[in-house]
Every structure is written in C-alpha cells, then in structure tokens.
Amino acid sequence: VSSISRENKTLTEQGELPRFELVGNGIYGLIEWHPKGIEQRTKDINQAVRLELLQRIMTMSPKSFENMIGNLFSTMGFIVEVKGRSGDGGIDVIGVTKINDVTQFEVAIQVKRVKANIPPDKITALRGSLLPHQRGIFVTTSKFSRQAVQEAQMPGKSPISLVDGEQLLSLLFRHQIGAKIQSIEVFEIDYSYWPEAPIQNLTIPTPASDEKILAVTYPFNIFARFDNQVIEAQLLDTGEVFYENETYTSVSAAGQAVTSWKSCNGWQFWRFVDAGTNIEYPIAVLRQ
C-alpha cells in the first residue's frame, strides 16, 4: 500500500495517470480494469440509492424501523413477531422458522439505529436476554467494534450473529425492502460479429505525426490479451502470423484462431510494445 501510494503521488505530480486506484476498505485495483460506460453508470446509481436508503432509515420512526427489520426477516422465511419497546431485555423482533419440517429454529433480534460502533457490552447484554432455545442476532446501521466481534464469537458462549450497516443495506436490496430492481434493456455492439471492428472500447494510443517508431526486425514479437491470458505470436515480413507452431495467412486469421470468433480485426487485436518508448500499440500503427 505504501509503495502504491508513493507511485500514485509521483505520477500525479508528473501529470500522468496512475496505474492504481483505491476501491475501498484498503483495497486497490488497476485503473485499466475500472468499469466504464453503462457498467460504471449502474454502479454509481446503485451507490447513490444505497446512500439515500440509509438516510431514509436513519430518519424513519423507531417503530417503522423495527417493522422494516421484521418485514426483512419475514421475506427471508421467518414467522415474525415485532415486540418493539415491550420486548424483554431490549429484544425487538422474534423470528421463527422450520428446517425441513423437522425442527424449529428461533432467533431473537435486537436492532440499533446508531452512528457509533457497537461496543462489546451490547453483545453481552443481548446474550443475557436470550432464552435457552434462542439464537441472537444483532442488527445495526453502524459497525461493530473489534471487541464486539470477538465477544460475539467467544468460545464457550452462545454465538451472536452480527449484521452491520453495509450488510443490512445489501439484504434490503436483495429482498427489495425499501428499494426495488428496475429492469431495462441495454444493447451493445457484438464486436466479434463485425469484421474490422474494434474488439474493446479502449483509447488506443497512436504515435504523433513527428514521433518515430523504431525500425521493425522480422520475425516481430506481438501479443494479445484474451480470456485473462497473454497470447504470444510472431509477425512475419510477409504479413503472416506464426502462432503455436502454425502459420496463418493474416493477422485477422490468427486472431480468429485464438478467439474462435466469426471475425476478428487482427490489426487491433494484436499488439506490441515499442522498445524505444515502452509504449504499447496495436499493430495497426505499423501499417503507417
């Protein structure tokens, strides 16, 4: 993480695009893998809906929030009783479900709509309120402290299941409680069908008019990225491609052999790295 942070800072100060981005919770990803187009737009919309859903949860009445949790567990297959403030020991919801019509399983649920992390004493209090046949579940809009998580999993004690704010929002989304799925049809070009069509929506660098690419010596090493693999081949001075001990009459034919597509724009599919600039290009620039 330290190395990535230093590199990002250096490249940013130089006016260059960093290779990595922070995607959350200390996790970094390659910027070139960042979702684009409709995929990124969908991600942004869903994140905005999550934030609005959380805001509505934080401002609804206590009784409505308890009913929402009851509704959620009812959707998950429990027979639910919302006890609310009359609940014993702070238990807000009782849920009962049957497993294969053989045995009955009962959970006692406590809900806390707060912003601060839940401390371990709240877990202890919930455990003390459980009846011998009950399993405890603690649901909150915030997070659990590390000590609270340890207390919930303490060996020799009745385990308490924990549902934090992020998990709660995901469950509400999954079961469409307070939010619903909107289905739309989105079409995109099937690039594998069309000849001489780009195979991916990437900005492909092309050399400036006054920029010279080093002279090519044949056979010339080329490569392609396909199906999470790097495919290596050699471009011959005849325009043929040598790949896996076979010679293909054109770069497109070699691309079809790799992908099994009906057609493949080999000039965009195959790529090379200019040894002089260390910049990656599609082999189409060699036609210049």
Side-chain angles (χ1 to χ4, degrees):
V1 170
S2 178
S3 298
I4 290 174
S5 298
R6 286 197 303 270
E7 180 185 301
N8 283 358
K9 181 180 179 181
T10 299
L11 292 177
T12 301
E13 290 175 348
Q14 295 174 350
E16 300 180 22
L17 184 66
R19 293 188 299 159
F20 302 94
E21 64 175 345
L22 181 64
V23 296
N25 296 325
I27 299 175
Y28 284 82
L30 287 169
I31 285 181
E32 68 178 78
W33 291 352
H34 189 88
K36 298 176 178 65
I38 189 65
E39 183 181 355
Q40 179 60 37
R41 179 59 179 155
T42 301
K43 182 179 178 180
D44 293 340
I45 291 174
N46 287 341
Q47 181 60 27
V49 173
R50 286 179 76 94
L51 292 175
E52 181 178 350
L53 181 58
L54 179 60
Q55 291 174 350
R56 289 179 177 272
I57 289 174
M58 297 302 292
T59 56
M60 67 194 310
S61 68
K63 187 63 177 177
S64 296
F65 179 55
E66 292 164 359
N67 286 335
M68 169 181 273
I69 300 302
N71 189 13
L72 172 61
F73 277 82
S74 177
T75 305
M76 294 166 62
F78 288 84
I79 299 173
V80 170
E81 176 188 359
V82 179
K83 302 180 72 67
R85 295 182 179 180
S86 62
D88 296 331
I91 293 175
D92 302 295
V93 180
I94 296 293
V96 178
T97 187
K98 289 186 177 181
I99 302 176
N100 296 327
D101 291 327
V102 174
T103 186
Q104 186 168 288
F105 184 74
E106 182 172 319
V107 295
I109 306 166
Q110 184 172 9
V111 300
K112 285 291 183 184
R113 189 176 46 167
V114 294
K115 294 182 179 180
N117 288 353
I118 301 298
D121 61 296
K122 298 296 183 183
I123 307 301
T124 303
L126 173 58
R127 182 180 283 121
S129 302
L130 298 178
L131 297 176
H133 64 284
Q134 292 178 330
R135 170 75 178 254
I137 301 178
F138 203 115
V139 180
T140 182
T141 52
S142 60
K143 296 182 179 180
F144 297 94
S145 69
R146 181 173 56 85
Q147 295 82 358
V149 175
Q150 292 174 345
E151 176 63 29
Q153 302 172 349
M154 188 68 68
K157 297 183 180 180
S158 300
I160 304 295
S161 298
L162 306 179
V163 178
D164 63 16
E166 287 298 319
Q167 292 171 302
L168 174 59
L169 291 176
S170 296
L171 287 171
L172 292 173
F173 267 30
R174 184 187 308 169
H175 297 282
Q176 300 191 59
I177 305 296
K180 61 183 179 180
I181 297 175
Q182 182 179 6
S183 299
I184 58 174
E185 288 185 326
V186 178
F187 293 90
E188 64 178 14
I189 294 295
D190 181 0
Y191 292 110
S192 66
Y193 181 85
W194 298 99
E196 300 302 316
I199 63 169
Q200 51 189 354
N201 293 327
L202 294 177
T203 301
I204 300 175
T206 55
S209 57
D210 59 348
E211 181 182 346
K212 294 182 179 180
I213 296 179
L214 296 179
V216 176
T217 301
Y218 294 97
F220 186 61
N221 292 329
I222 59 177
F223 68 93
R225 297 187 184 89
F226 180 74
D227 197 22
N228 295 321
Q229 299 181 58
V230 176
I231 312 298
E232 297 180 343
Q234 289 184 316
L235 178 65
L236 308 181
D237 57 358
T238 60
E240 298 172 311
V241 173
F242 185 71
Y243 165 64
E244 287 195 341
N245 298 320
E246 290 193 31
T247 301
Y248 295 87
T249 57
S250 68
V251 293
S252 294
Q256 286 177 277
V258 173
T259 62
S260 299
W261 292 343
K262 295 179 181 178
S263 63
C264 175
N265 183 350
W267 294 103
Q268 298 291 351
F269 180 76
W270 296 103
R271 311 176 71 81
F272 73 99
V273 175
D274 179 7
T277 62
N278 203 33
I279 297 177
E280 179 182 315
Y281 295 103
I283 63 173
V285 303
L286 299 177
R287 304 172 84 176
Q288 301 176 12

